Amino acid sequence: MTSYLASQNAVRGFLDSPDMREQEGVMFAYAADAATLQRLVPAPLRVAAPVVAGYVTHMGNPSFARPYDEAVLYTMVAYQDKMVGAYPFGLFLAGSGAEMALVAGREGASIPKKLADQIQIKHDDTGVRAQVIRHGTTLMDVHVTSGMPNDPEQAQQLFGPQLRLNHPVETINFFVDYQLAQQEDGTNRFTNTRLLATQTTNITTAFTPGKLALTLTSSADDPVGELAVQHLIGGGTYTMASAKMHQTTVLTQLDAVKVAPYLITGRYDQSILSNN
């Protein structure tokens, strides 16, 4: 029986090497305004290409939660010209395992995550349509039709690694780690802010490229429309056996005052602000 006093075995197994197993969903990418992306990415990270990418997927057997659905928008960035990886603006979660996935991601791995009302992934005769709905707004409406991508050359460059089926592919994600500490006067401040690089090994088992149709809509809490589409690159349907996070490196300490504006919107709603 579960106890409020956990066993040492439970402590050892708590968020041990999170693995997002048995994924099935859609990936997509589009060109966006380079200046806007750089404005939304904290220093010392630098936008490597004016592209926003993302996915909407069903996590069928994660190692840390019941099954859940997840969606993300991110851009590719460079750190001191030494490494290139993804910087996520925000992830949305829904389903029975969403609460545990939120804790594992936001508290355990410093990933900007929020709970959505609903994430739908529907297959039809032409492809897959996915929608992310939060507080009554359809933030993301993605439709991938099997066939030629919108921009085949760019799509090949972006999705090329996914075509190495059943082979481990290493990826890097950049996250800002922080502590939220209440001060003596009752205010809360971000402290101990650090830039992390987390390495993940992905094993894709199927990938079918396709043409992308995409609508992004902002709400008062989630400004996804700020990442406006300049032109569509393409998408694809995929299945992934495993995506295991296995190494995190602290790259540098960050100025908490300077990085704080980047930490709120992707993790919290505007109602948390005292002036609302």
Side-chain angles (χ1 to χ4, degrees), residues 28 52-56 70-74 88-92 112 132 140:
F28 59 90
V52 173
Y55 61 72
V56 185
E70 181 173 278
V72 64
L73 292 169
Y74 65 88
F89 296 103
L91 288 85
F92 302 104
V132 178
M140 299 166 59

Side-chain angles (χ1 to χ4, degrees), residues 147-166:
M148 187 71 69
N150 311 65
D151 186 331
E153 184 175 346
Q154 275 197 289
Q156 174 65 31
Q157 293 175 356
L158 290 170
F159 300 130
Q162 306 305 325
L163 302 179
R164 296 182 57 201
L165 301 182
N166 301 303

